[in-house]
Amino acid sequence: MSAIRRAVVFDCDGLPLDTAAARYTAFRTGAQALELELSDRQFATLGGASAGAAAARIALWAGQSGETGRVAKMLDEALRTAVELRPPAALPGALELVSTLAGRVPAVASNAPSGVLSEVLSGAGLRPAFRAVVSTDEVAAPKPAPDVYRAACRRLGADPPGSVALENSAAGATAAQAAGLSLVVVTDSA
């Protein structure tokens, strides 16, 4: 009988990278294009959302649902610009944690666009530590669908029930559990 390969699959935004400023800038830019100022509560509900899901919510809040595509494009461009101007840093302890887990086949499953995801992981020196990186634009549906987690496990040859997801958003937690992974929820204590 062959051993079941186990993996640890990380979300990226807010764990292990501090992408809050870049995401806030992108969401604010998309909302302002529709003459909407996001409240703190609205911004909080966008946590873990893909650009498409965030754009749909922003357009709905602005009463301009027909503008979702335009807002999604703006969010993507604003996010790319924000990470170029101020590359996200690894959160305290992230490099050490990823290094400690290197033997447990670490991967990333994220709702971020692939170009941005690759850039931020490389910029923080984390990309080489992950054996698989899966972005929302590589699968059929973003979180809360389980697609990114299933794809990460497939690429690693890992069994989802033998693997663990580290998440910090409701959408991501739902996705990981639906994919069959065990879940560790990481919260911001600040």
Side-chain angles (χ1 to χ4, degrees):
M1 176 185 267
S2 65
I4 296 174
R5 189 171 219 190
R6 299 167 191 230
V8 176
V9 186
F10 288 77
D11 174 42
C12 186
D13 290 325
L15 179 115
L17 294 178
D18 184 4
T19 58
R23 291 179 60 79
Y24 180 78
T25 297
F27 293 152
R28 189 182 70 221
T29 299
Q32 287 175 341
L34 300 182
E35 299 180 10
L36 173 69
E37 287 296 324
L38 290 177
S39 68
D40 290 342
R41 184 170 163 236
Q42 287 171 318
F43 180 71
T45 66
L46 297 174
S50 66
R57 287 184 196 149
I58 290 169
L60 179 68
W61 293 330
Q64 300 180 48
S65 294
E67 296 295 321
T68 298
R70 181 170 72 101
V71 173
K73 184 176 179 181
M74 291 179 73
L75 291 178
D76 186 59
E77 291 171 4
L79 184 59
R80 288 175 192 278
T81 300
V83 300
E84 287 172 9
L85 294 175
R86 187 173 170 208
L91 288 166
L95 294 170
E96 294 83 1
L97 177 60
V98 172
S99 294
T100 299
L101 296 173
R104 291 178 177 81
V105 195
V108 169
S110 177
N111 264 353
S114 59
V116 171
L117 183 58
S118 180
E119 183 176 333
V120 296
L121 288 171
S122 295
L126 287 170
R127 179 57 189 99
F130 295 106
R131 293 193 192 165
V133 174
V134 180
S135 166
T136 192
D137 50 359
E138 299 176 69
V139 296
K143 298 174 190 176
D147 300 18
V148 291
Y149 279 104
R150 287 181 179 152
C153 287
R154 266 193 314 275
R155 287 185 189 175
L156 296 170
D159 181 39
S163 299
V164 176
L166 281 78
E167 263 295 346
N168 65 345
S169 73
T174 299
Q177 289 181 310
L181 285 78
S182 295
L183 176 65
V184 175
V185 176
V186 180
T187 59
D188 182 359
S189 60

